[in-house]
Amino acid sequence: MTKIALIGYGAMAGYVFDHLQSYDHEASHAVIRPGREAAATARFGHEIDLVERFEAIDARPALVVDCAGHAGLTQHAPAFLRVGIPVITASIGALADDGTRNALEMAARAGHTQLHLATGALGALDALCAARVGGLSHVRYS
């Protein structure tokens, strides 16, 4: 079973977590903000190890899925990339910042791995679908 770490614990992370088992993958860890253990445990139960940073992970995952947005990608992805663990992110907008893009690129080069961009023509719809899993029932667009 392939071990996958998640960055984040929100609706998108919950969706990924719920669907990994269908593909013979296991979410092994979730990188979360300090003080958010109760919220993350509510999302994942006790089936996943909660950590605040890469260095606290005991067994290296094969892959990391960023579900925490720009801040999570910027803060945590470089550490994974530097040691050769590929990262998938939908936080494409974070790459508009030259410093963020350069830091991620340098980390990926150092680790001989890649940052994979999960793009889509209607990224907001993907986000809304993930939010629906978290209980979103309607949206007002104005």
Side-chain angles (χ1 to χ4, degrees):
M1 189 166 289
T2 304
K3 301 224 182 265
I4 297 176
L6 305 174
I7 299 174
Y9 58 89
M12 185 184 296
Y15 180 86
V16 171
F17 176 79
D18 290 342
H19 288 84
L20 283 176
Q21 295 175 356
S22 302
Y23 298 98
D24 200 31
H25 301 307
E26 174 185 37
S28 59
H29 297 83
V31 181
I32 64 167
R33 290 181 296 170
R36 301 302 294 167
E37 296 81 9
T41 300
R43 172 74 62 200
F44 304 123
H46 295 283
E47 300 175 41
I48 188 171
D49 290 333
L50 306 176
V51 298
E52 294 177 6
R53 63 190 195 296
F54 163 77
E55 294 79 14
I57 293 178
D58 52 356
R60 282 177 57 146
L63 176 70
V64 174
V65 179
D66 163 44
C67 302
H70 297 190
L73 177 70
T74 302
Q75 184 175 358
H76 300 292
F80 289 102
L81 293 167
R82 270 193 292 279
V83 298
I85 302 172
V87 175
I88 297 174
T89 186
S91 300
I92 309 303
L95 303 178
D97 177 73
D98 290 339
T100 298
R101 186 180 61 256
N102 290 336
L104 292 166
E105 183 178 349
M106 289 172 44
R109 287 181 190 270
H112 304 287
T113 192
Q114 294 181 335
L115 173 66
H116 299 276
L117 308 179
T119 62
L122 299 172
L125 287 180
D126 292 340
L128 290 173
C129 288
R132 183 179 64 196
V133 172
L136 180 73
S137 62
H138 63 278
V139 174
R140 179 178 172 183
Y141 180 77
S142 53

